[in-house]
Amino acid sequence: MRITRRTMLLGAGAGALTVLLASCTPESTDPKPTRSPEPTVTPTPVGEVPAAAAFLRTEWATDPFALGSRSVTPVGATPVDRETLGTALVSRVFFAGEATDPDRPGTVSGGILSGQRAADEVIDVAEAGERVAVIGAGIAGAIAAGRLGDAELDVSVIEARDRAGGRLVTHMDDDWPVPPQAGAWILGSDDTELASRMGVLGVGTVGLGDATARGADGEIDVPTGDILQQAVADTETLPDDVSLRAALDEAGVQGSPELEEFLAALSAFTGVDPETASSWFPPRMPESPLDAVVSDVAPLVETPLGDLDVTYASPVTGVVYDDRGVSLRLATGEALTFDRVIVTVPLGVLQSDAIEFDPPLPFEKRSAIAALEMGAAESVWLRFDEPFWTTEAGVWHVVGPVGPEPTPSPTPTPTPSPTPGAEGDVDTTIRTWINLLPATGEPILVGLVGGPAARAIAELGDDDLLTLASESLSPFTGA
């Protein structure tokens, strides 16, 4: 096993914050979507945000088959925990999923790599024609299943949802000329393998362009992460791991609206809570330039699945195993037997004990599951009949209060997944926005929020969330 320190790739200058917005992309991915006619810009009077013509929200925190958006590394956890989570049991039960990848956790690339690894582990020990089940038809499960099928094993995929894709999903709807993405869709330049895969499969992207920041008094410089980067570097001399917030405290950094916006954006794109996120193994910061996915991502999953047998709407509730084989219990009451199985469910599901293992998972694997954390990140998609803004920046940051006081929210109800401690009242201002108008010609804004704010927003009804979004956008009316 190995432990490697991650490096936070924080740039300098006005565009530095935009390096947060990514997981992978090429400089140009074909085919590009057809651009809609350029709308006539008729700014709404300052302070007024019109009602959205269409609205969509993600709800990963309450999704029973995810219980969070992506795995994160809290204080005290290390990449070794991820390797332990991915270790096979008696060469019969194997594990995949982004949470098991020590190098790219929390990313689509991590899911792909983990699926390849687990499939290769099965192929190394299986005999020709063995029956292998893959639990989960997300990206890790699809990649693993396709690889097993190519090795001429008898593969069955069992999926709890009524669709493939897991946390990688596009909502195709005639109301949306640019289809909303519920999973990873903001892409950076540091994952060429995934970018190439998307290009070959025809998943279209557009460039997002520059970033801008505004507060209640107008435009300001985009916050940078220089201070946080230095504070993280300083933790190397500490005897114990501390959180990102504690690293700033140790460095004597005074809080500011700019720093808080940087941390809010960090949460929005990685799912971490700065109060609990490890400074020794901080979230990975992808590099700009940045693209956004603007077409259906289904080919990423459907292509490797091909014509394999996939059973949908069948959650697995039990895994009984020994050195002779595996029996799976389904929520439908069925029991199925296989020679081997690959478990690809999200970390949040493993932490919830929704699947009972018999015999119980070894102590070291249970410890690894408990040590890691399921992060929270949600998005709010808004389509308008016409834009109320004039800025052509593709990435927006809201700095400081947008009114007399920051928008508070009651403490969210605890979820089955590990929730960062004492949150109290949370500032739920949606501080990071993606403006798709310059790239697509469509007046669509997407709000991104993570960490404690995402958990609090998950408790809001649609009307309250729309009100919150309008308040958060007020600095950009007529701008």
Side-chain angles (χ1 to χ4, degrees):
M1 293 184 180
R2 66 189 185 283
I3 301 179
T4 57
R5 288 290 304 273
R6 293 203 186 283
T7 300
M8 298 188 74
L9 304 178
L10 307 179
L17 190 52
T18 62
V19 300
L20 298 176
L21 316 180
S23 59
C24 54
T25 193
E27 293 183 1
S28 176
T29 301
D30 291 323
K32 297 291 185 183
T34 301
R35 184 183 177 95
S36 299
E38 196 71 31
T40 301
V41 177
T42 307
T44 299
V46 173
E48 297 182 16
V49 177
F55 157 76
L56 186 139
R57 68 187 294 182
T58 64
E59 297 178 292
W60 293 117
T62 56
D63 185 318
F65 304 129
L67 298 175
S69 61
R70 67 200 71 186
S71 68
V72 298
T73 306
V75 172
T78 76
V80 169
D81 292 308
R82 298 184 182 278
E83 293 183 339
T84 300
L85 178 56
T87 303
L89 303 176
V90 296
S91 295
R92 295 292 174 178
V93 182
F94 300 78
F95 292 82
E98 52 84 7
T100 70
D101 187 74
D103 298 317
R104 296 299 305 271
T107 68
V108 177
S109 294
I112 291 173
L113 292 170
S114 73
Q116 294 171 342
R117 170 193 52 76
D120 288 344
E121 291 174 353
V122 171
I123 292 169
D124 285 344
V125 297
E127 297 180 1
E130 280 192 359
R131 301 182 67 241
V132 181
V134 177
I135 302 176
I139 189 64
I143 293 296
R147 209 171 181 96
L148 294 171
D150 291 342
E152 299 185 353
L153 295 172
D154 183 0
V155 183
S156 296
V157 182
I158 303 172
E159 168 57 44
R161 304 177 191 274
D162 59 3
R163 59 164 179 82
R167 287 168 286 164
L168 191 64
V169 58
T170 305
H171 292 274
M172 303 300 293
D173 191 309
D174 291 341
D175 285 342
W176 292 90
V178 177
Q181 308 289 340
W185 67 287
I186 303 297
L187 311 177
S189 63
D190 66 328
D191 194 333
T192 56
E193 289 187 11
L194 179 55
S196 176
R197 182 186 296 266
M198 293 175 68
V200 169
L201 295 174
V203 179
T205 65
V206 294
L208 289 177
D210 297 331
T212 188
R214 295 185 69 85
D217 297 328
E219 188 169 0
I220 60 176
D221 290 338
V222 175
T224 74
D226 294 347
I227 292 176
L228 180 57
Q229 182 177 7
Q230 183 57 54
V232 166
D234 291 345
T235 63
E236 293 183 356
T237 63
L238 299 178
D240 298 302
D241 189 9
V242 299
S243 70
L244 294 179
R245 180 71 73 180
L248 291 167
D249 293 341
E250 289 279 347
V253 175
Q254 298 296 315
S256 68
E258 292 78 12
L259 176 60
E260 293 308 311
E261 158 51 13
F262 187 89
L263 293 174
L266 175 64
S267 294
F269 291 102
T270 65
V272 302
D273 179 355
E275 302 288 346
T276 63
S278 168
S279 61
W280 279 5
F281 302 98
R284 186 185 183 95
M285 296 299 132
E287 299 175 353
S288 57
L290 308 171
D291 283 6
V293 176
V294 289
S295 66
D296 194 353
V297 298
L300 285 173
V301 171
E302 293 177 351
T303 300
L305 284 176
D307 58 359
L308 291 175
D309 178 24
V310 182
T311 301
Y312 293 104
S314 300
V316 172
T317 59
V319 177
V320 180
Y321 64 97
D322 58 23
D323 58 4
R324 295 169 296 175
V326 185
S327 175
L328 302 183
R329 295 195 301 270
L330 307 185
T332 59
E334 288 183 271
L336 306 174
T337 59
F338 298 90
D339 294 297
R340 306 179 201 278
V341 63
I342 299 179
V343 180
T344 74
V345 300
L347 173 68
V349 175
L350 292 176
Q351 291 175 328
S352 72
D353 294 327
I355 300 177
E356 180 181 359
F357 289 85
D358 183 11
L361 295 177
F363 173 77
E364 60 271 18
K365 192 175 290 288
R366 287 184 282 119
S367 296
I369 292 172
L372 297 168
E373 187 176 292
M374 197 63 173
E378 307 289 358
S379 58
V380 181
W381 286 70
L382 304 173
R383 180 179 64 78
F384 297 90
D385 288 328
E386 59 182 25
F388 59 84
W389 63 93
T390 59
T391 177
E392 294 186 356
V395 184
W396 299 355
H397 302 289
V398 179
V399 179
V402 295
E405 296 291 339
T407 304
S409 175
T411 302
T413 302
T415 63
S417 57
T419 301
E423 293 172 1
D425 285 347
V426 177
D427 174 16
T428 53
T429 302
I430 302 174
R431 298 194 172 278
T432 306
W433 291 87
I434 303 300
N435 171 24
L436 292 177
L437 177 63
T440 69
E442 301 294 344
I444 295 174
L445 300 177
V446 188
L448 307 176
V449 64
R455 298 182 191 278
I457 282 177
E459 301 295 323
L460 298 180
D462 289 351
D463 289 343
D464 289 339
L465 181 55
L466 285 167
T467 298
L468 172 63
S470 294
E471 294 173 351
S472 302
L473 285 168
S474 60
F476 288 91
T477 56

